[in-house]
Amino acid sequence: VRGPLSAETAYRGARDVFASLHVPRRTAQAELLLAVTTEMSGDLSTAAHRYRTLARDDRLSDLDRARAKLWMGTTLTKSGHPDEAIAAIIEATEQLDMLDEPIEWAVAQQKQALADLAARRLDDASQRIAVASEAMRDESPLQRVRLQVAQAHILVSDPATSDAGASLLEQLGHVAARYSLAHQQQAIDRLRRSMARTRSPRRGTAR
């Protein structure tokens, strides 16, 4: 993500070129991509602030502003602010609906499901991921795996469905390996490790 040959370096260079050429929309789009690299590097507070600013930036198209709002919500979920995340994602979802962007709208449903899960609203999360699944039946392997990883995350969070979630993660691990989806494989591995910690028997008190 970072370094001399990284995405951040490339986007920063693109931003500087577009700014020197006085192309405001392209400059802002490069800034949005830089915010994504900031999020991926783990600096969630800075990323959320940049997304919030870009979601109001008139240099961007309506679609890119809605994406910035949605990604702000995702970042807030990751940083432990699910209620604020849900509010942002709902706004983004409404904007995407008005823009008639069905795939982006379905992704927003998935993101809200994870925010609902972080807020411990398991029923809401399950309903939301079902809506996203219905809307994304015919999408690419990457989009399907992303969606199903979110679904597995919800399943393993409920003791009544954790076995089904574990089985789904096993299947998704094979799909991610087949299509070389490294980022999704990392997410699958994190969920598996979390499950292993949850299921491992507690050690007895040392005597």
Side-chain angles (χ1 to χ4, degrees):
V1 177
R2 289 181 168 172
L5 300 177
S6 66
E8 180 186 43
T9 300
Y11 295 146
R12 197 178 298 280
R15 180 200 59 188
D16 293 345
V17 169
F18 290 132
S20 69
L21 294 173
H22 305 290
V23 187
R25 177 158 295 181
R26 291 293 190 182
T27 303
Q29 287 174 332
E31 290 173 5
L32 183 56
L33 291 171
L34 278 169
V36 174
T37 65
T38 300
E39 178 189 351
M40 292 179 66
S41 71
D43 189 352
L44 300 178
S45 178
T46 300
H49 174 73
R50 289 179 179 172
Y51 286 140
R52 191 188 306 273
T53 300
L54 289 163
R56 301 189 298 264
D57 195 322
D58 289 338
R59 294 175 301 166
L60 290 171
S61 66
D62 290 342
L63 177 56
D64 279 336
R65 287 199 297 272
R67 286 171 173 158
K69 178 77 73 173
L70 176 61
W71 297 342
M72 181 184 83
T74 301
T75 305
L76 289 168
T77 299
K78 293 178 181 178
S79 60
H81 302 283
D83 290 332
E84 191 177 353
I86 289 168
I89 293 169
I90 288 173
E91 287 184 24
T93 302
E94 292 172 349
Q95 293 168 8
L96 292 166
D97 188 34
M98 288 189 293
L99 292 169
D100 193 23
E101 293 285 347
I103 301 306
E104 304 265 2
W105 180 89
V107 170
Q109 299 294 316
Q110 172 192 331
K111 302 299 186 185
Q112 188 174 340
L114 293 174
D116 286 331
L117 179 62
R120 301 184 184 279
R121 300 171 184 168
L122 193 55
D123 288 344
D124 290 345
S126 297
Q127 292 172 11
R128 194 71 58 181
I129 204 69
V131 171
S133 297
E134 182 66 23
M136 295 180 68
R137 285 184 171 180
D138 301 321
E139 297 313 308
S140 69
L142 173 58
Q143 288 171 318
R144 286 198 301 273
V145 169
R146 282 176 174 168
L147 176 65
Q148 289 178 312
V149 169
Q151 184 178 13
H153 192 174
I154 293 166
L155 289 171
V156 301
S157 299
D158 184 348
T161 58
S162 61
D163 287 342
S167 177
L168 179 56
L169 284 175
E170 182 71 24
Q171 297 171 35
L172 292 173
H174 295 305
V175 176
R178 177 182 177 187
Y179 291 100
S180 301
L181 304 177
H183 186 67
Q184 297 308 310
Q185 186 65 64
Q186 291 171 4
I188 291 164
D189 291 342
R190 282 196 300 270
L191 281 173
R192 283 174 168 170
R193 289 194 296 270
S194 178
M195 281 191 67
R197 287 193 298 269
T198 301
R199 290 183 170 187
S200 62
R202 295 181 179 178
R203 295 180 181 178
T205 304
R207 296 181 183 274

